[in-house]
Amino acid sequence: MERHLRSIDELSAEDVTTILDTAEVFRAAGPRRKYPTLRGKTVCNLFFESSTRTRLSFELAAKRLSADVLNFASGGSSVDKGESLKDTAQTIEAMGVDAIVLRHEASGAPWRLAGWVDAKILNAGDGMHEHPSQALLDLFTMRRHHGRLEGLKVAMVGDIRHSRVAGSLIRALRLVGADPVLVAPRTLLPPSVATFDVPVEYDIEQVLPKVDVCYLLRMQLERMHGGFVPSLREYSSLYGLDASRASTMPEASLIMHPGPMNRGVEIDGSAAELPRTVITEQVTNGINIRMALLYLMLGGKDASGEEALDG
Ligand code: CP
């Protein structure tokens, strides 16, 4: 693996397999198992945007590996007094941190940060660009259910344009040989969609009967400056998933969503509660993936590193 994890492009297909296999070792050991591997290391969660799942699961992952954890949220910090990202990061590094988990509203912020500090950088979401640990936990969840990733048909539905989750997941699916298809109104596709080299469909009802996974994306209302859809009600009627539409999906297929959900917009309550909906399982798997990342980047060697994993 590269020194940092800022983009899925920094991983090879072999790296992805190693990360997923290592997460599988942690998952099999169960949530009560604690490891001494990162004793003496410090991980800082540096969050300039709100988060529930990513921040808490990185914190839990670091603690299960016995690292010390610093949690920084920009609200209530000296950022309110005008301190820059560079000064904030260098202040935190002066306290002796080994890894910084960064969420920031600016695309590219993890690359800037890596130029200012020696700590390893894990991108926890940069603007509308990437969210690589989310993509890895999604691959892990798909592989656990389908037993493979190669050839898996994954429909990514909704606000591709503003989604860093989509940015990473499209790259990750292509890296492992899966078959992503984008389903969205034209206004919710990025102008650069052709660079993904992925098929685009506009009718969700044509796509659903053929998928292994229907991956719904949150409408990123906070990033929309303009009318991207006539109304949320119309968007929901054309692209939203409810139990009736979900009933046309193949028997073994999954419904996934990175969270947080806009219930009644991209997903109806009736679809969110179906047995094939694995949204809370994605959250659980996120802890194991983030343990694997911290273990591989800060302490361990590979998925069979029994010595380091013992304890
Ligand atoms: N999926 C995700 O990134 O959720 P949070 O914003 O709650 O971290």
Side-chain angles (χ1 to χ4, degrees), residues 70-88:
L70 296 175
N71 282 314
F72 171 97
S74 54
S77 76
S78 289
V79 171
D80 292 342
K81 301 174 200 161
E83 190 162 50
S84 67
L85 172 60
K86 181 176 182 179
D87 288 336
T88 302

Side-chain angles (χ1 to χ4, degrees), residues 46 48 72 77-79 81-95 100 112-113 116-117:
L46 186 57
F48 289 81
F72 171 97
S77 76
S78 289
V79 171
K81 301 174 200 161
E83 190 162 50
S84 67
L85 172 60
K86 181 176 182 179
D87 288 336
T88 302
Q90 288 180 337
T91 299
I92 287 167
E93 190 172 59
M95 297 179 193
I100 296 177
R112 297 289 285 164
L113 187 60
W116 296 325
V117 298

Side-chain angles (χ1 to χ4, degrees), residues 123-138:
N123 181 2
D126 62 323
M128 298 189 288
H129 181 222
E130 281 220 42
H131 191 351
S133 65
Q134 176 71 46
L136 290 165
L137 75 89
D138 292 332

